[in-house]
Structure formats: structure tokens, C-alpha cells
Amino acid sequence: MASNKLMVGLEIGTSKICVVVGEGRPDGTIKILGVGQAPSRGVRKGEIVDFETAMKCVHEAVVDAEQKSDVMIRSVYVAVAGSHLQSFNNRGCVMLPEDRDEIDERDVEDVKINAREVSIPAQNAFLHSIIQHYHVEGQDGVLNPIGMLGQKVEADFHIIHGVRTRIQNSIRCVKELPLDVEDVVFGGLASAQVVLTQHQKDLGALVIDIGGGTTDYVLYSDGVVKQSGCLALGGDHITNDISMGLRIPMARAEKLKIEEGSCILGNSLPGEMILLKDESGFAGKEIEREMLNTIIHLRVREGLELLKRGLEEEPYLTYLGAGIFITGGCSLLNGIDHLAEEIFEIPAHLAHAQTTWGVTSAVEDPQFSTAIGLVRFAQVMQTDRPRRGFRETIGKLFRMR
Amino acid sequence: MIQLHKNYSLPDALADTVPVKVVSVGGAGLNALDRIVLDGLEKASVVAINTDVQSLTSSVAAHKVQLGRTRTRGLGTGGDPELGYEAAVESADEIREALTDTRMVFVCAGLGGGTGSGAAPYVAHLAREAGALVIAFVTLPFTFEGKRRATQAREALGRLNEIAHSVICFENDRMGDLVAPQAGIHHAFAMADTTISQSVRSVVNLIQRPGLIRIGFDDLLAALRVRNGRCLFGFGESDSDNRGHDALTQALKNPLMDRGRMLADATNVLVQVSGGAGMTLSEVEVLMQELGRHVNEQTQILFGAVVDGKLGDRLAVTIISSLAADEDLISESRDGATLSNVFAQPPVREQHPPPQIHIEPEAAMEPVAHEESISFEQPVAVQATPAAESMPGESEPLPVAPHKKAVPHTDEKAAAKSVPAKQEILQFEPVTRGRFEKSEPTIVEGEDLDVPTYLRKNIKVK
């Protein structure tokens, strides 16, 4: 079983906790052995606010996954999210010593360290440094400079960093269970690994993972990550708006959003009402459908417009050949792809994990994109295939505790 | 001093505008001035002073003074401070004319070259003679520019330290921290200009903007009181969702701040927070709390808050403080002072009644300190006597003191007046955040996204 190593992805989401157990095949595919999930409490906007409660929920989900996949889970890959995550592109540069002109691993390592030498706030830690392109002696677009001749190596990196202690909170929560944390991965980045194919990354694509508490996004252009980030805005906000606008309890609002909600306006008949049934099945309150949709529409539109404004600070949005891919729990919202298409003026698709097989119900559910993405991430890390986009992250930094 | 506070009751008109002039000397100063003008500075007039006609003509400043029409004939000084000084002396009348009717003068110069090092101290001296408060913003050259320029810069800095009320000094080498390693050299210089521009503008704004909690010149001097010390300056501005934090981070990132580590040793820290009408109390509170972590418990925080509609969604933080000199800095500037006495001073003596203004506070100001007009309007009658230069050290604190007395009326009063009027602008937490009531707010572009969109957009539901 050495070649079929078990990999487990754990996403501590705002609305639910997902655990995906996967098995890497020698041919590079992943087989999903089982998924576990549990409703999440004690998490707001992607970050833990109630440690004890969150821990219990994680435990529940892990136990569920163990039962369904019939394996023992010892170590996991954890996804992190939260508005504290930030990213930027930076270029590192290294000159080779006079007496040597063949570039080797050391130089590549040096250039990576060099690229990290930028000031991030003192309390922040690097989460990912993702290589974009190397430049050797002015030659652009070098994919692997090792073995090439040149005096000057430069490398463009996309760097994601976040507040160290907040990232550590997720790790602590898992370690208390006790489970080992193999690595921490930005949720959006994990989703993108399974939502997009390499071809789509090359063409240029934007993955928007709208979850319960956060909206993570990753923009690929030329096959590499150019922009990424996390907005603390998600399905919870829609539910909250509905609950406040229609004056119904949160649980009812959530149900209404899932069953009846849509973010397309003008699709309902004038005066069309939705009858809310209470628990006993008796007719309760009546709600105008258009009003429900207006509330949802305004919120989703605002979020997407905000995202667009943020992305427009750099020019990559115009180079998206493959379009926009929306995943995460909120992508199930009726009409969200049409709204995104209208706002971004780029074709938008609903997406879920690709290139995996096994428990298809899980694979096809966009809510599991991140957790499956973690498994994919783990696979890439473990086979240590020198694949563009990933290098070892500095998980050690967090594992020290 | 405290009693004087109480006795003062000046007309409010005074509190509104203090005539301020930004004077730049030399090539580097001019570059910085251009930056300042281009960045926009409403409440101050600018004067460009240089020996080099070419750079003067290309400057965007409205008022220009050419130094040494006969000495240098419109050329530069070739890096010779003595020549710069002589040129300035030759054009003394023109400079005086340019400096009339002003109560505060900011002298910007890049030290190390001829005009900047030679003429800037003299200009500062003339400004003080005209009765203005003088703050110098200077840069020290990059190390790679050579030892000679570094020595010249130190000498000039030493002299400026004696003449100006306070000197804010930027080391160009530290600018390197701000600039990405692969950025062009012009970028590094531009960054130095930008930093000076930011600091001048923020200090002008600090004094000119009527605040909710006003910061006056006295506060500024208190923050900078440590002489020969190292000035800590930081300015940050942000309109992001977490603008308080971002602005503070940016301010602490300033090369003079060393990411806030320096602040731990400061005794007085001046902080001004300014923002548009949307600035909330909680924002300011969080920001100050965060800053509090960087300073010592004993540190006195001089806090000012300003609501300025022009800032729109932006929130700006200015931090000014000073540290007692570390040994090397002290010896540097002391060295500078003595060196200047030995080498560079001679031209001073030969040319002109020595420009030693230190005795001015002792002789003229101290006795009249109780009068309101003090030094501002009074052209300093007492021309310096040659003997004066003997005790530069002791005279230093004195110029600080009288002005300390003179200024308070501009702030305490104004603050007391404006607070009740503007208090309602501050927004408190909106009550309608539902389940996000207790969680960290998501504030993007100044809007609290936890509040339902339809409420914020005023779209009627139901």
C-alpha cells in the first residue's frame, strides 16, 4: 500500500466541517474513499471563535469520515481562510558567484528566500510562496532553471501570508484532538487544484469559492497563480439579510435560501408568494418571492462587484480565456453563475471537483471542493513531483508548537 | 507655563491659519518640493531656492530665488558647501524677502551637496531671524555617494541642529528598505522625495487642520523635544476595509520607524488620526490600542483627531516622536558641530555678522516671554555678537520654551470649541448586524458588509 498513500483533507468551514479521505493512485488520480461532515459551530467568517465547540465539531466530522471510509485518520491537511490572508507578487533575484555559471538547486532556493525578503507585518507568517516564472539572464518564462547557464536568476513568486496566531488557531484545534497537521493550505488555492484542469489554468481562469463565511478567490493566468485572496463575506451574510429583511429566524431563512432563493430578478410572477410552513406543517407566513430574490440579489451582486473591483487593480482579469469558475456551497444558489457573468462580463461556470473518482456524490458536490482540493494538494506534495505551482510550504513554522 | 495657558484667550482667527512656508534649498530639496507641490499642499506657500538656474526653471514652485547671481553665475556649486554658503549670503536680501510674513518655515534640503549643506543652515538662520519657527526636513546622502558628502552632510546637520527648532532627518540609506531591490535607482530617490513630501504635508496638516482633538505646535515640539536625537516619523494612509490597521501598519513601516520597534523607547509620542466623515470611534479606538502595544506604558501619547471631508474614505495616521540620541548619533552630530566650527564656520565669520541666533532667545525672548506677540512678529532686533557662538549647547532648549508658551492658545481653545459641534459626526456601531453582532466586522471600502446590503443601499423591502 506504499504507493497508495492515504491523504486526508480537513476544512473547518463556517457552516460545516468537511473531511475527505482520499487515496493517491500511481497514475496521478485520486480515489475518494469517504467523506465525513458535521455542522460547524463556533466558526465565524472562516475563523474559529469558540475553540471548544469548534473542536467538538471537528471531532464529529473526523469520526464520521473514519466510519464511512473505514480507515484510521492520523494526520490531516488543514485549509485556512479568513480576511487576514493577504497576497502579493514579488520578484527575487540572485547573482551567481563569478566562478560558476551553471544554476543549481541552491540558487533556486536562494532566489526563493530572496523573494520572501519583503516586509510583511510582524505578526504575519508566510503561508505559500508559489513560483510563477523564472528569468535567467533576462530570458523570460523559464520553467525550471536548474542546469541552465547564466549569472543572474530571477523568480516571480506569488506570496500568500496571514496573521500567524490566527492560522495557528486552526492548527491548535486539530492538534488537540489529537491529529497531526501535515500542512496548512489556503482554502481557495486547494479548491482551484481540483476545480481547474492544467489546461484551464494555462488559458487563464478565476476560481471563486463562496462558502458560508468567506469568499476565497484565486486567479490563474499563464498557468500560474497571479492573484488570490479572501473576503469575509459568504452565504451566512445572505441568510442574515433574509432573516432580518423578512423577520424570520436564521434557521428558517437558511432553509428558504436553499429551497427557494435565487439571485435573478424578474423571474417571478408579480405578487407570487411563498408560503412558509411551520414545524407542524400548518401554513404560517407568506413571503413575496421577488422580495426574497431582491435581498439575495443585492447581497450577491455587491460581493461580486467588490471582488471585481479588487481584481481590477491588476490587469489579469482581461486575460481569462477559460472564464470564471464558481464553487463552494453558495454556488448552489440559483442563478449565481448568470449574475457573475453579467458583472464580470466573462463566461462563468458552476464547478466542482474534477479528475477524481470514488464517492461521486461527494465529488460532484461543490461544498467539498476545498476538502478534495486538500487531498490533491497532499498528493502533489507527497509524490514530490516537481510540479509548477507548489513547493514545500513553511508548514514547519506552524508545526513547531 | 501652565498658568499662561489659562490666561491666554486669543481670537479664534489666529487658530485657523498659521502662515506657513515650505522652503527648499538645493537640488534634492527642489525635487522634494516638486513632489510636495504635485501631491498638493493647500495651506502653505512654497519657495524654491537654488544656485542652479536650470533646476530652478524646471521647478514647479511659484516663488523662486536664485542664489549667488555673481558668485556662481547660475551654475551649481559643484558640491562645495562654502560656495553654497557664500552664494546664499550674496542673495540674503532676496531670501529675507521671500521669508517675510510667515510664522513657520519648513526648510527642506538634501544634505551632502554644495547648496543644500551650505545654504540651508543659512536660510534656516534667516528664517529664525525673521521670527519664524523653523523645522528642517533633511536627508543624509546614500553611503555610496562617498565619505566626503557624508562628512559635509554631518557638518550641515550639526549646524541645522543648532539653528532650527527641530530637525527631522531622513537617512537615504534607510530608504533602501522601502524600495524593492530590483527597482531602479530613480525609484530610490523618488521614494526619498515622497517620504519628505509626506512628512512635510502631514506636519503642515497636523498644525493647520482644525481638529476634534487638536494638536498644536506645542505638542509637536514636545514630541520632538529631545535634541540631537533621532526623529521617528511615520505616516500611513489607507482606504481599505481595515483601514485603521493598514494605515498604522504603513506608518510603522516608515524607514524612520523601524516597524515601531523604536517607539518602545520614546517618552513622548504624537499621534494624529484624520479621516473623512465616516471615521468611527471604534476604528480610532482599535487603532490606538494597536499602537499602544508598540509604546511603553510610561510614554505620554499626545493624541489628535481630525475629521476632514476631503479625505473621503481614507484614514490617515501620523506618528511623530524622537529618541534620545544613541551614542553614535550623538557623537556624529556633536562631531558635526565641532567640525563645523573648525572647518566650515570660517566663511561664516568672515562674511557676515555671524548668524548665531542662539543668543536671541536668551537675550530677547526670555524677558518678554509673557507678552503675547513674543517672537512671531518681532523682528529680532538683537543682532548676534561674535561671542554668541561659544555656547551652542545651552541655548538649545530655550527657543523651544518660549514657543511652547506662545502656541497653546491655538489648540486648547479651538478644541474646546469644536468638540461639541462635531461630535455627532462620529458614527457608532450600527445596531443592525444580526448574527454578526459579536464577530469581527467586515469593513470593505468603508462599508460594514455585515449590515444587510438592502439596508445600506436604502432599498425598501416590504
Side-chain angles (χ1 to χ4, degrees), chain A residues 188-230:
Chain A
L189 192 62
S191 305
Q193 298 323 304
V194 283
V195 165
L196 297 183
T197 61
Q198 187 59 43
H199 182 60
Q200 286 164 333
K201 290 180 189 172
D202 290 340
L203 282 174
L206 170 66
V207 176
I208 308 176
D209 182 338
I210 312 179
T214 61
T215 299
D216 302 347
Y217 60 92
V218 176
L219 187 145
Y220 277 85
S221 175
D222 258 347
V224 296
V225 182
K226 294 283 191 188
Q227 280 173 290
S228 68
C230 184

mmCIF file of all heavy atoms in Angstrom, chain A residues 188-230:
data_model
loop_
_atom_site.group_PDB
_atom_site.id
_atom_site.type_symbol
_atom_site.label_atom_id
_atom_site.label_comp_id
_atom_site.label_asym_id
_atom_site.label_seq_id
_atom_site.Cartn_x
_atom_site.Cartn_y
_atom_site.Cartn_z
ATOM 1 N N GLY A 188 -8.849 28.588 -0.862
ATOM 2 C CA GLY A 188 -9.120 28.898 -2.268
ATOM 3 C C GLY A 188 -8.146 28.189 -3.188
ATOM 4 O O GLY A 188 -8.516 27.672 -4.251
ATOM 5 N N LEU A 189 -6.914 28.131 -2.745
ATOM 6 C CA LEU A 189 -5.868 27.503 -3.545
ATOM 7 C C LEU A 189 -6.144 26.006 -3.658
ATOM 8 O O LEU A 189 -5.984 25.408 -4.727
ATOM 9 C CB LEU A 189 -4.525 27.740 -2.859
ATOM 10 C CG LEU A 189 -3.272 27.434 -3.641
ATOM 11 C CD1 LEU A 189 -3.206 28.316 -4.860
ATOM 12 C CD2 LEU A 189 -2.057 27.660 -2.769
ATOM 13 N N ALA A 190 -6.584 25.409 -2.556
ATOM 14 C CA ALA A 190 -6.902 23.993 -2.568
ATOM 15 C C ALA A 190 -8.041 23.720 -3.541
ATOM 16 O O ALA A 190 -7.952 22.824 -4.390
ATOM 17 C CB ALA A 190 -7.271 23.538 -1.158
ATOM 18 N N SER A 191 -9.107 24.515 -3.480
ATOM 19 C CA SER A 191 -10.247 24.322 -4.377
ATOM 20 C C SER A 191 -9.799 24.373 -5.826
ATOM 21 O O SER A 191 -10.200 23.550 -6.649
ATOM 22 C CB SER A 191 -11.302 25.406 -4.167
ATOM 23 O OG SER A 191 -11.676 25.457 -2.835
ATOM 24 N N ALA A 192 -8.963 25.353 -6.123
ATOM 25 C CA ALA A 192 -8.547 25.551 -7.506
ATOM 26 C C ALA A 192 -7.843 24.323 -8.060
ATOM 27 O O ALA A 192 -7.896 24.056 -9.257
ATOM 28 C CB ALA A 192 -7.643 26.772 -7.622
ATOM 29 N N GLN A 193 -7.204 23.553 -7.196
ATOM 30 C CA GLN A 193 -6.460 22.391 -7.670
ATOM 31 C C GLN A 193 -7.348 21.328 -8.299
ATOM 32 O O GLN A 193 -6.917 20.614 -9.186
ATOM 33 C CB GLN A 193 -5.670 21.737 -6.519
ATOM 34 C CG GLN A 193 -4.628 22.619 -5.890
ATOM 35 C CD GLN A 193 -3.939 23.486 -6.903
ATOM 36 O OE1 GLN A 193 -3.377 22.989 -7.879
ATOM 37 N NE2 GLN A 193 -4.015 24.792 -6.720
ATOM 38 N N VAL A 194 -8.572 21.245 -7.802
ATOM 39 C CA VAL A 194 -9.433 20.195 -8.344
ATOM 40 C C VAL A 194 -10.506 20.764 -9.255
ATOM 41 O O VAL A 194 -11.077 20.057 -10.068
ATOM 42 C CB VAL A 194 -10.094 19.373 -7.216
ATOM 43 C CG1 VAL A 194 -9.085 18.412 -6.644
ATOM 44 C CG2 VAL A 194 -10.680 20.254 -6.153
ATOM 45 N N VAL A 195 -10.786 22.058 -9.120
ATOM 46 C CA VAL A 195 -11.818 22.651 -9.954
ATOM 47 C C VAL A 195 -11.270 22.890 -11.357
ATOM 48 O O VAL A 195 -11.959 22.727 -12.351
ATOM 49 C CB VAL A 195 -12.309 23.974 -9.318
ATOM 50 C CG1 VAL A 195 -13.103 24.783 -10.310
ATOM 51 C CG2 VAL A 195 -13.144 23.657 -8.090
ATOM 52 N N LEU A 196 -10.010 23.272 -11.438
ATOM 53 C CA LEU A 196 -9.412 23.615 -12.726
ATOM 54 C C LEU A 196 -8.528 22.484 -13.239
ATOM 55 O O LEU A 196 -7.874 21.787 -12.473
ATOM 56 C CB LEU A 196 -8.552 24.872 -12.591
ATOM 57 C CG LEU A 196 -9.243 26.164 -12.195
ATOM 58 C CD1 LEU A 196 -8.222 27.291 -12.183
ATOM 59 C CD2 LEU A 196 -10.368 26.492 -13.148
ATOM 60 N N THR A 197 -8.504 22.338 -14.528
ATOM 61 C CA THR A 197 -7.517 21.453 -15.141
ATOM 62 C C THR A 197 -6.315 22.304 -15.510
ATOM 63 O O THR A 197 -6.394 23.533 -15.539
ATOM 64 C CB THR A 197 -8.076 20.826 -16.426
ATOM 65 O OG1 THR A 197 -8.384 21.887 -17.336
ATOM 66 C CG2 THR A 197 -9.334 20.035 -16.157
ATOM 67 N N GLN A 198 -5.205 21.648 -15.773
ATOM 68 C CA GLN A 198 -4.000 22.398 -16.130
ATOM 69 C C GLN A 198 -4.257 23.263 -17.362
ATOM 70 O O GLN A 198 -3.797 24.394 -17.455
ATOM 71 C CB GLN A 198 -2.846 21.422 -16.388
ATOM 72 C CG GLN A 198 -1.511 22.095 -16.606
ATOM 73 C CD GLN A 198 -1.102 22.952 -15.408
ATOM 74 O OE1 GLN A 198 -1.241 22.547 -14.269
ATOM 75 N NE2 GLN A 198 -0.601 24.149 -15.679
ATOM 76 N N HIS A 199 -5.045 22.731 -18.272
ATOM 77 C CA HIS A 199 -5.333 23.474 -19.489
ATOM 78 C C HIS A 199 -6.069 24.781 -19.171
ATOM 79 O O HIS A 199 -5.769 25.830 -19.737
ATOM 80 C CB HIS A 199 -6.173 22.598 -20.422
ATOM 81 C CG HIS A 199 -6.473 23.244 -21.722
ATOM 82 N ND1 HIS A 199 -5.475 23.649 -22.585
ATOM 83 C CD2 HIS A 199 -7.659 23.572 -22.312
ATOM 84 C CE1 HIS A 199 -6.030 24.206 -23.652
ATOM 85 N NE2 HIS A 199 -7.352 24.180 -23.516
ATOM 86 N N GLN A 200 -7.007 24.677 -18.271
ATOM 87 C CA GLN A 200 -7.764 25.873 -17.902
ATOM 88 C C GLN A 200 -6.873 26.892 -17.191
ATOM 89 O O GLN A 200 -7.013 28.091 -17.387
ATOM 90 C CB GLN A 200 -8.949 25.495 -17.004
ATOM 91 C CG GLN A 200 -10.070 24.834 -17.785
ATOM 92 C CD GLN A 200 -11.054 24.125 -16.890
ATOM 93 O OE1 GLN A 200 -10.708 23.680 -15.795
ATOM 94 N NE2 GLN A 200 -12.287 23.999 -17.365
ATOM 95 N N LYS A 201 -5.951 26.385 -16.394
ATOM 96 C CA LYS A 201 -5.025 27.299 -15.727
ATOM 97 C C LYS A 201 -4.176 28.030 -16.761
ATOM 98 O O LYS A 201 -3.892 29.217 -16.618
ATOM 99 C CB LYS A 201 -4.101 26.533 -14.775
ATOM 100 C CG LYS A 201 -4.792 25.989 -13.541
ATOM 101 C CD LYS A 201 -3.779 25.267 -12.677
ATOM 102 C CE LYS A 201 -4.464 24.532 -11.541
ATOM 103 N NZ LYS A 201 -3.531 23.678 -10.800
ATOM 104 N N ASP A 202 -3.762 27.311 -17.793
ATOM 105 C CA ASP A 202 -2.945 27.929 -18.828
ATOM 106 C C ASP A 202 -3.719 28.994 -19.581
ATOM 107 O O ASP A 202 -3.193 30.040 -19.937
ATOM 108 C CB ASP A 202 -2.426 26.869 -19.808
ATOM 109 C CG ASP A 202 -1.380 25.979 -19.153
ATOM 110 O OD1 ASP A 202 -0.807 26.416 -18.134
ATOM 111 O OD2 ASP A 202 -1.136 24.866 -19.650
ATOM 112 N N LEU A 203 -4.982 28.701 -19.836
ATOM 113 C CA LEU A 203 -5.814 29.657 -20.567
ATOM 114 C C LEU A 203 -6.087 30.905 -19.719
ATOM 115 O O LEU A 203 -6.272 31.993 -20.237
ATOM 116 C CB LEU A 203 -7.150 29.022 -20.930
ATOM 117 C CG LEU A 203 -7.162 28.069 -22.113
ATOM 118 C CD1 LEU A 203 -8.525 27.422 -22.231
ATOM 119 C CD2 LEU A 203 -6.818 28.811 -23.386
ATOM 120 N N GLY A 204 -6.118 30.708 -18.430
ATOM 121 C CA GLY A 204 -6.462 31.805 -17.526
ATOM 122 C C GLY A 204 -7.850 31.585 -16.964
ATOM 123 O O GLY A 204 -8.828 31.459 -17.706
ATOM 124 N N ALA A 205 -7.939 31.483 -15.652
ATOM 125 C CA ALA A 205 -9.234 31.220 -15.034
ATOM 126 C C ALA A 205 -9.297 31.842 -13.645
ATOM 127 O O ALA A 205 -8.276 32.042 -12.996
ATOM 128 C CB ALA A 205 -9.455 29.707 -14.919
ATOM 129 N N LEU A 206 -10.507 32.157 -13.267
ATOM 130 C CA LEU A 206 -10.711 32.699 -11.926
ATOM 131 C C LEU A 206 -11.603 31.741 -11.161
ATOM 132 O O LEU A 206 -12.699 31.406 -11.622
ATOM 133 C CB LEU A 206 -11.377 34.083 -12.021
ATOM 134 C CG LEU A 206 -11.891 34.695 -10.712
ATOM 135 C CD1 LEU A 206 -10.742 35.005 -9.774
ATOM 136 C CD2 LEU A 206 -12.689 35.956 -10.988
ATOM 137 N N VAL A 207 -11.118 31.258 -10.037
ATOM 138 C CA VAL A 207 -11.933 30.380 -9.197
ATOM 139 C C VAL A 207 -12.479 31.204 -8.038
ATOM 140 O O VAL A 207 -11.731 31.864 -7.321
ATOM 141 C CB VAL A 207 -11.098 29.212 -8.639
ATOM 142 C CG1 VAL A 207 -11.940 28.372 -7.705
ATOM 143 C CG2 VAL A 207 -10.556 28.369 -9.763
ATOM 144 N N ILE A 208 -13.778 31.209 -7.901
ATOM 145 C CA ILE A 208 -14.394 31.884 -6.765
ATOM 146 C C ILE A 208 -15.066 30.817 -5.910
ATOM 147 O O ILE A 208 -15.986 30.147 -6.363
ATOM 148 C CB ILE A 208 -15.433 32.927 -7.226
ATOM 149 C CG1 ILE A 208 -14.825 33.873 -8.261
ATOM 150 C CG2 ILE A 208 -15.949 33.727 -6.035
ATOM 151 C CD1 ILE A 208 -15.822 34.870 -8.821
ATOM 152 N N ASP A 209 -14.575 30.650 -4.726
ATOM 153 C CA ASP A 209 -15.139 29.646 -3.818
ATOM 154 C C ASP A 209 -15.949 30.395 -2.766
ATOM 155 O O ASP A 209 -15.403 30.977 -1.841
ATOM 156 C CB ASP A 209 -13.990 28.852 -3.178
ATOM 157 C CG ASP A 209 -14.499 27.750 -2.250
ATOM 158 O OD1 ASP A 209 -15.653 27.859 -1.787
ATOM 159 O OD2 ASP A 209 -13.749 26.802 -1.984
ATOM 160 N N ILE A 210 -17.259 30.382 -2.944
ATOM 161 C CA ILE A 210 -18.103 31.110 -1.998
ATOM 162 C C ILE A 210 -18.622 30.136 -0.959
ATOM 163 O O ILE A 210 -19.439 29.271 -1.253
ATOM 164 C CB ILE A 210 -19.272 31.816 -2.718
ATOM 165 C CG1 ILE A 210 -18.747 32.577 -3.934
ATOM 166 C CG2 ILE A 210 -19.977 32.783 -1.758
ATOM 167 C CD1 ILE A 210 -19.835 33.274 -4.720
ATOM 168 N N GLY A 211 -18.136 30.243 0.221
ATOM 169 C CA GLY A 211 -18.541 29.337 1.281
ATOM 170 C C GLY A 211 -19.547 29.999 2.208
ATOM 171 O O GLY A 211 -20.183 30.983 1.845
ATOM 172 N N GLY A 212 -19.647 29.462 3.395
ATOM 173 C CA GLY A 212 -20.594 30.018 4.346
ATOM 174 C C GLY A 212 -20.150 31.359 4.902
ATOM 175 O O GLY A 212 -20.937 32.282 5.046
ATOM 176 N N GLY A 213 -18.890 31.455 5.219
ATOM 177 C CA GLY A 213 -18.420 32.672 5.866
ATOM 178 C C GLY A 213 -17.474 33.500 5.041
ATOM 179 O O GLY A 213 -17.314 34.690 5.274
ATOM 180 N N THR A 214 -16.808 32.866 4.070
ATOM 181 C CA THR A 214 -15.823 33.618 3.307
ATOM 182 C C THR A 214 -15.949 33.340 1.814
ATOM 183 O O THR A 214 -16.518 32.334 1.411
ATOM 184 C CB THR A 214 -14.375 33.251 3.706
ATOM 185 O OG1 THR A 214 -14.172 31.870 3.433
ATOM 186 C CG2 THR A 214 -14.103 33.529 5.159
ATOM 187 N N THR A 215 -15.434 34.253 1.043
ATOM 188 C CA THR A 215 -15.319 34.052 -0.388
ATOM 189 C C THR A 215 -13.837 34.048 -0.713
ATOM 190 O O THR A 215 -13.160 35.053 -0.546
ATOM 191 C CB THR A 215 -16.010 35.205 -1.148
ATOM 192 O OG1 THR A 215 -17.388 35.216 -0.791
ATOM 193 C CG2 THR A 215 -15.871 35.033 -2.636
ATOM 194 N N ASP A 216 -13.333 32.890 -1.120
ATOM 195 C CA ASP A 216 -11.914 32.795 -1.482
ATOM 196 C C ASP A 216 -11.811 32.875 -2.994
ATOM 197 O O ASP A 216 -12.652 32.341 -3.706
ATOM 198 C CB ASP A 216 -11.326 31.442 -1.040
ATOM 199 C CG ASP A 216 -11.472 31.219 0.453
ATOM 200 O OD1 ASP A 216 -11.795 32.185 1.150
ATOM 201 O OD2 ASP A 216 -11.285 30.067 0.898
ATOM 202 N N TYR A 217 -10.791 33.529 -3.464
ATOM 203 C CA TYR A 217 -10.619 33.566 -4.915
ATOM 204 C C TYR A 217 -9.162 33.378 -5.289
ATOM 205 O O TYR A 217 -8.262 33.764 -4.555
ATOM 206 C CB TYR A 217 -11.154 34.866 -5.502
ATOM 207 C CG TYR A 217 -10.482 36.102 -4.963
ATOM 208 C CD1 TYR A 217 -9.380 36.655 -5.611
ATOM 209 C CD2 TYR A 217 -10.942 36.715 -3.807
ATOM 210 C CE1 TYR A 217 -8.756 37.781 -5.107
ATOM 211 C CE2 TYR A 217 -10.322 37.826 -3.295
ATOM 212 C CZ TYR A 217 -9.235 38.363 -3.948
ATOM 213 O OH TYR A 217 -8.618 39.462 -3.436
ATOM 214 N N VAL A 218 -8.970 32.732 -6.420
ATOM 215 C CA VAL A 218 -7.619 32.528 -6.943
ATOM 216 C C VAL A 218 -7.689 32.763 -8.436
ATOM 217 O O VAL A 218 -8.560 32.218 -9.112
ATOM 218 C CB VAL A 218 -7.125 31.092 -6.665
ATOM 219 C CG1 VAL A 218 -5.766 30.876 -7.303
ATOM 220 C CG2 VAL A 218 -7.031 30.838 -5.180
ATOM 221 N N LEU A 219 -6.813 33.593 -8.942
ATOM 222 C CA LEU A 219 -6.812 33.869 -10.374
ATOM 223 C C LEU A 219 -5.556 33.276 -11.000
ATOM 224 O O LEU A 219 -4.441 33.552 -10.561
ATOM 225 C CB LEU A 219 -6.863 35.382 -10.612
ATOM 226 C CG LEU A 219 -7.037 35.820 -12.066
ATOM 227 C CD1 LEU A 219 -7.887 37.066 -12.128
ATOM 228 C CD2 LEU A 219 -5.719 36.077 -12.746
ATOM 229 N N TYR A 220 -5.786 32.429 -12.000
ATOM 230 C CA TYR A 220 -4.676 31.827 -12.730
ATOM 231 C C TYR A 220 -4.554 32.505 -14.079
ATOM 232 O O TYR A 220 -5.557 32.799 -14.743
ATOM 233 C CB TYR A 220 -4.932 30.346 -12.980
ATOM 234 C CG TYR A 220 -4.565 29.459 -11.835
ATOM 235 C CD1 TYR A 220 -5.450 29.233 -10.796
ATOM 236 C CD2 TYR A 220 -3.314 28.848 -11.791
ATOM 237 C CE1 TYR A 220 -5.113 28.416 -9.738
ATOM 238 C CE2 TYR A 220 -2.973 28.025 -10.736
ATOM 239 C CZ TYR A 220 -3.872 27.809 -9.713
ATOM 240 O OH TYR A 220 -3.534 27.001 -8.671
ATOM 241 N N SER A 221 -3.336 32.772 -14.470
ATOM 242 C CA SER A 221 -3.107 33.257 -15.810
ATOM 243 C C SER A 221 -1.784 32.656 -16.247
ATOM 244 O O SER A 221 -0.849 32.587 -15.444
ATOM 245 C CB SER A 221 -3.049 34.786 -15.790
ATOM 246 O OG SER A 221 -2.724 35.269 -17.060
ATOM 247 N N ASP A 222 -1.720 32.197 -17.472
ATOM 248 C CA ASP A 222 -0.471 31.584 -17.935
ATOM 249 C C ASP A 222 -0.081 30.364 -17.111
ATOM 250 O O ASP A 222 1.102 30.055 -16.990
ATOM 251 C CB ASP A 222 0.685 32.593 -17.819
ATOM 252 C CG ASP A 222 1.021 33.180 -19.162
ATOM 253 O OD1 ASP A 222 0.542 32.615 -20.165
ATOM 254 O OD2 ASP A 222 1.733 34.178 -19.200
ATOM 255 N N GLY A 223 -1.049 29.721 -16.516
ATOM 256 C CA GLY A 223 -0.758 28.520 -15.752
ATOM 257 C C GLY A 223 -0.266 28.754 -14.340
ATOM 258 O O GLY A 223 0.039 27.812 -13.626
ATOM 259 N N VAL A 224 -0.168 30.010 -13.927
ATOM 260 C CA VAL A 224 0.314 30.264 -12.567
ATOM 261 C C VAL A 224 -0.614 31.214 -11.819
ATOM 262 O O VAL A 224 -1.367 31.966 -12.433
ATOM 263 C CB VAL A 224 1.740 30.853 -12.575
ATOM 264 C CG1 VAL A 224 2.724 29.873 -13.133
ATOM 265 C CG2 VAL A 224 1.780 32.150 -13.340
ATOM 266 N N VAL A 225 -0.517 31.150 -10.485
ATOM 267 C CA VAL A 225 -1.365 31.997 -9.655
ATOM 268 C C VAL A 225 -0.897 33.439 -9.767
ATOM 269 O O VAL A 225 0.278 33.731 -9.560
ATOM 270 C CB VAL A 225 -1.291 31.566 -8.173
ATOM 271 C CG1 VAL A 225 -2.211 32.436 -7.325
ATOM 272 C CG2 VAL A 225 -1.640 30.117 -8.027
ATOM 273 N N LYS A 226 -1.799 34.327 -10.113
ATOM 274 C CA LYS A 226 -1.426 35.736 -10.207
ATOM 275 C C LYS A 226 -2.044 36.550 -9.070
ATOM 276 O O LYS A 226 -1.450 37.490 -8.580
ATOM 277 C CB LYS A 226 -1.896 36.329 -11.540
ATOM 278 C CG LYS A 226 -1.199 35.732 -12.746
ATOM 279 C CD LYS A 226 0.201 36.283 -12.900
ATOM 280 C CE LYS A 226 0.754 35.861 -14.250
ATOM 281 N NZ LYS A 226 2.146 36.176 -14.430
ATOM 282 N N GLN A 227 -3.248 36.208 -8.718
ATOM 283 C CA GLN A 227 -3.905 36.944 -7.645
ATOM 284 C C GLN A 227 -4.672 35.956 -6.774
ATOM 285 O O GLN A 227 -5.179 34.948 -7.275
ATOM 286 C CB GLN A 227 -4.899 37.961 -8.231
ATOM 287 C CG GLN A 227 -4.265 39.245 -8.723
ATOM 288 C CD GLN A 227 -5.263 40.118 -9.437
ATOM 289 O OE1 GLN A 227 -5.709 39.795 -10.532
ATOM 290 N NE2 GLN A 227 -5.637 41.220 -8.830
ATOM 291 N N SER A 228 -4.771 36.270 -5.501
ATOM 292 C CA SER A 228 -5.577 35.424 -4.629
ATOM 293 C C SER A 228 -5.992 36.243 -3.425
ATOM 294 O O SER A 228 -5.436 37.311 -3.171
ATOM 295 C CB SER A 228 -4.766 34.207 -4.176
ATOM 296 O OG SER A 228 -3.734 34.622 -3.315
ATOM 297 N N GLY A 229 -6.956 35.764 -2.722
ATOM 298 C CA GLY A 229 -7.377 36.499 -1.543
ATOM 299 C C GLY A 229 -8.622 35.905 -0.932
ATOM 300 O O GLY A 229 -9.147 34.888 -1.394
ATOM 301 N N CYS A 230 -9.066 36.537 0.103
ATOM 302 C CA CYS A 230 -10.183 36.015 0.865
ATOM 303 C C CYS A 230 -11.027 37.186 1.368
ATOM 304 O O CYS A 230 -10.508 38.112 1.981
ATOM 305 C CB CYS A 230 -9.645 35.205 2.039
ATOM 306 S SG CYS A 230 -10.917 34.422 3.000
#
